[in-house]
Amino acid sequence: MIDIIIITVIAIAVFFIVRHELRRLRRGRCCGDCAGCGSICKDIPAEKKQEQ
């Protein structure tokens, strides 16, 4: 019974993490893991990144 509860809690946490990352991608924000990218451009919208 405890195994089911633990698996459910982990699944809920994974769901929220994936949802958060997908929302960031849809907004045109950088994930921070692209080539030559650091944490500097994480919160810069895609339009502004193209201008730079």
Side-chain angles (χ1 to χ4, degrees), residues 1-16:
M1 181 69 179
I2 291 183
D3 293 340
I4 294 171
I5 295 171
I6 292 171
I7 291 171
T8 303
V9 169
I10 292 172
I12 291 170
V14 168
F15 168 77
F16 283 113

Side-chain angles (χ1 to χ4, degrees), residues 26-48:
R26 287 183 189 147
R27 290 184 193 140
R29 302 209 177 189
C30 178
C31 296
D33 61 350
C34 49
C37 179
S39 61
I40 297 169
C41 69
K42 276 188 172 181
D43 295 323
I44 300 173
E47 300 85 17
K48 289 187 180 178

